[in-house]
Amino acid sequence: MDKKLNWKKNIILFLTSQTISLFGSSLVQYAIMWYITLNTKSGIMLTISIICGFLPTFFLSPFAGVWADRYNRKMLIVLSDSMIAFVTLLLAILFFVGYDAMWLLFFASAVRALGGSIQTPAVNAFIPQFVPEDKLLRINAVNGTVQSFTMVASPMLSGVLLTFSSIEIIFLIDVVTAALAILILFFFVVVPAHEKAQSRQTTGYFHDLKEGVKYIKDHKFVKEYFIFFSVFFILISPVAFLTPLQVARSFGDEVWRQTAIEISFASGMIVGGLIMSAWGGLKNKTYTITLAILVFGITTIALGIVAAFWIYIAFMMISGVAIPAFNTPAIALMQQKVEGNYQGRVFGVFGMIQSAVMPLSILVFGPLADIIAIEWMLIVTGIFMSVMAVLLTNNKVLVEAGKPVPEP
């Protein structure tokens, strides 16, 4: 499909709408988590909430990918945002009138996860419809940077709002931000539906799902890419989930230490996003991913070795810098190498892998943390990540795929 001449206007408006929507969603996400924690002080209740936010994504992602290929992706984003906003508005009304049963928050978390699982493959497949291929990496870098800013700002603002107002107010803020995002996307982002969505559907839903799985299986790049990412997601599970516990055990259980590692990591992601936006990475995207994995592996080893907390914080920030250098070219590669009519399904399966592998991995690493020192787990997984980086440079399929796209 030919790119529209006004793609810059469209991407600015689109990213603006997504940022507004994400900000409101993040406020509610943190508010629900802290509300459950403060009002129940129950690990079981918090676990139920997390499961409600995880299972819908795992089960719906491949189906949502089919929808993203069969239907107008812009409208899917609008509808998913509208569904989330409607449920959040109902939740606000029920809480205002005094009906604040905890199961309502679990239900809301599940619905929000359903909306997110529909939206994510649609967004990732929608952007390449109107952004030139050679600009995808920088656009994804800008998008990642904005999301990192949101990760820093939203928990702080959510905490302030929950302290000085009520959770109902946060729900209403999310409804307003969602409505604004929907209006911008619906009325001002002018992008025609992709070819498959415009044509009459001659195949059934499950036929399309089967075709998508076959495409992934037969596409050498996508198949090797997914295997590689699955292994990588397993290896990053300890550093992603167990570092707060490590800090509490090794440095102290003060709240400010937990806050410090979150802010330093998110700040590193902001810096990394800005670097990727300005630099764009190495000419070969696979080498950029390799460099990011190597840095992440080395910092993970360092997090298992350092004894001073301020040095630990410094390495946590550096590991945050590596994330955009990894995510940005990783998404851009799939957007460039996967045919437009299959992108929704491929991103859907990718989302399912991402939402399943890390939580399942922590079911193994979590109990191990009570037997083996977390420091040793970080050192070992960091070494394996560093080895993966070296192996990646010798993978001919992925290195060939990472070569630069010629400018039109």
Side-chain angles (χ1 to χ4, degrees), residues 51-264:
I51 290 172
C52 287
F54 151 67
L55 284 181
T57 303
F58 173 71
F59 287 113
L60 192 64
S61 287
F63 299 97
V66 176
W67 297 336
D69 284 338
R70 288 175 70 92
Y71 307 117
N72 188 317
R73 289 160 182 163
K74 187 178 93 166
M75 294 310 301
L76 279 176
I77 299 167
V78 168
L79 290 172
S80 62
D81 258 344
S82 300
M83 177 181 70
I84 294 171
F86 179 71
V87 170
T88 306
L89 179 60
L90 284 180
L91 196 61
I93 293 170
L94 289 170
F95 267 65
F96 267 123
V97 298
Y99 194 77
D100 56 357
M102 201 60 64
W103 70 265
L104 284 172
L105 295 178
F106 299 151
F107 175 73
S109 294
V111 172
R112 298 177 71 83
L114 284 172
S117 61
I118 294 171
Q119 194 174 85
T120 300
V123 168
N124 285 330
F126 182 59
I127 291 175
Q129 283 182 219
F130 60 99
V131 175
E133 280 192 29
D134 61 309
K135 307 297 182 185
L136 283 172
L137 191 142
R138 290 186 185 275
I139 293 302
N140 284 312
V142 171
N143 191 27
T145 304
V146 173
Q147 290 182 7
S148 299
F149 272 110
T150 304
M151 285 176 60
V152 173
S154 56
M156 291 189 290
L157 182 57
S158 185
V160 171
L161 289 170
L162 204 56
T163 301
F164 294 103
S165 61
S166 63
I167 194 169
E168 297 92 334
I169 299 299
I170 300 177
F171 291 154
L172 290 178
I173 291 173
D174 183 42
V175 173
V176 172
T177 55
L180 183 58
I182 291 166
L183 288 172
I184 293 172
L185 180 57
F186 187 81
F187 289 106
F188 299 104
V189 178
V190 183
V191 178
H194 58 290
E195 183 181 349
K196 185 173 175 61
Q198 290 180 7
S199 58
R200 183 174 177 272
Q201 303 297 329
T202 57
T203 57
Y205 174 87
F206 286 101
H207 176 272
D208 283 3
L209 180 60
K210 182 181 176 181
E211 285 294 308
V213 173
K214 184 177 184 297
Y215 180 87
I216 293 170
K217 182 181 176 183
D218 295 342
H219 198 296
K220 198 168 184 181
F221 161 72
V222 175
K223 183 170 67 175
E224 293 199 23
Y225 203 61
F226 278 12
I227 292 171
F228 172 83
F229 268 83
S230 297
V231 175
F232 181 71
F233 287 146
I234 292 171
L235 293 177
I236 67 173
S237 295
V239 70
F241 290 110
L242 298 179
T243 45
L245 181 59
Q246 179 204 9
V247 168
R249 287 178 179 178
S250 302
F251 298 106
D253 58 2
E254 298 91 345
V255 174
W256 72 266
R257 293 186 190 274
Q258 298 296 327
T259 305
I261 63 173
E262 293 293 334
I263 292 176
S264 62

Side-chain angles (χ1 to χ4, degrees), residues 221 284-287 290 333 391-404:
F221 161 72
N284 189 309
K285 293 180 182 65
T286 300
Y287 291 155
T290 299
L333 261 181
L391 293 176
L392 183 56
T393 60
N394 293 308
N395 187 307
K396 293 181 180 179
V397 173
L398 298 184
V399 170
E400 180 65 27
K403 289 182 178 179

